[in-house]
Amino acid sequence: AYAQERPARGRGLAEQALAKLTRAESVGQKRVRLRLRSRLGFDDALHDDYGKLHESEPQESEVLTDWVDALHRAELWEESDEPLALLEERFPEERRRWRKLAGERLKKTGREDERAAFLREAVREFPDEESLRLALGDAERGERRWERARFHLGSVSLSPAYGRWAGELLEEV
C-alpha cells in the first residue's frame, strides 16, 4: 500500500501486522518488527532499538541496511552516518549496497559535487550496477554534463527495473 501511494492503508496494515507479531524471537522477526515500527514513524526509541539489535547481532549486515533505510525514509539523512560507517567498516564485501545508500544520502543532503565524484568512482568499481548508473546519470544531468548524462541514463533506459526513471530523466536532458 505504501508503494502504491496509499499511506493510510499502509499504516493500517503495518499496525495490524505489528499487533500480530507480538513476540519476536529470531533476528528476522526482530527486523520485521523494527521495519513495521519505522513505517509508523521514526523516533529515538526506534533508533536505539536498531542500535541494540546491531550490538546483539553484529554479524547481520541486514540490520544495518534496514536501519539506514528507516532513517532515509524518515528523511534523517545525517543520522544515517553511523550505521553507514558501520556497514562500510564491518562488511566490506557489501560495498555495492552501502555505495547505493551513501549516494542517496549525498543527494538528499545537497552535496551534489561530492555525490557525482562518489558515483563516478562507484560506477567504475561496479559498472554492471544499473542503480548506480542511473544515479550517476542524474548527477551528471544536475551538473549539466549532457553527453555523460545521456550515456549513463541511456545505458539503463531498457532496464525493467530502472527504465521508466531513466526515460523520464532523459526527457529532461
Side-chain angles (χ1 to χ4, degrees):
Y2 280 105
Q4 297 171 352
E5 298 182 18
R6 296 183 356 215
R9 174 86 172 121
R11 184 176 184 81
L13 292 172
E15 288 170 345
Q16 288 173 12
L18 199 52
K20 289 179 182 177
L21 187 61
T22 55
R23 294 189 63 205
E25 296 178 16
S26 72
V27 176
Q29 290 171 333
K30 290 174 183 177
R31 285 181 50 227
V32 168
R33 266 191 77 70
L34 288 172
R35 284 197 311 260
L36 288 168
R37 284 178 51 204
S38 77
R39 291 295 186 164
L40 300 175
F42 199 92
D43 59 21
D44 290 340
L46 186 59
H47 189 66
D48 292 342
D49 288 346
Y50 268 114
K52 288 175 188 170
L53 182 57
H54 170 66
E55 286 175 16
S56 69
E57 303 292 339
Q59 73 285 359
E60 295 286 335
S61 66
E62 294 296 328
V63 171
L64 293 170
T65 302
D66 289 351
W67 189 1
V68 172
D69 284 339
L71 288 164
H72 285 187
R73 238 187 337 276
E75 298 184 8
L76 298 170
W77 308 106
E78 298 300 331
E79 287 87 339
S80 69
D81 285 348
E82 177 189 357
L84 270 173
L86 289 169
L87 190 60
E88 179 180 0
E89 173 189 314
R90 295 185 182 163
F91 301 96
E93 69 280 2
E94 302 272 344
R95 265 179 90 71
R96 184 180 305 250
R97 178 180 293 164
W98 66 256
R99 285 232 185 245
K100 289 185 223 178
L101 294 167
E104 178 184 357
R105 188 179 130 287
L106 290 170
K107 178 180 182 173
K108 297 297 185 173
T109 56
R111 295 158 53 193
E112 290 296 329
D113 291 343
E114 188 179 344
R115 174 181 176 239
F118 178 85
L119 288 169
R120 284 184 197 103
E121 181 183 321
V123 167
R124 276 193 295 277
E125 187 174 358
F126 302 107
D128 62 329
E129 183 59 53
E130 292 177 336
S131 64
L132 290 172
R133 291 196 325 260
L134 176 70
L136 179 55
D138 181 42
E140 300 279 16
R141 185 180 61 87
E143 291 184 332
R144 300 184 190 281
R145 297 179 66 177
W146 308 121
E147 290 302 316
R148 299 298 307 157
R150 278 189 209 93
F151 173 78
H152 292 293
L153 294 171
S155 73
V156 294
S157 63
L158 297 178
S159 163
Y162 300 104
R164 187 185 88 207
W165 291 297
E168 289 173 8
L169 292 172
L170 275 168
E171 288 177 10
E172 299 173 16
V173 175

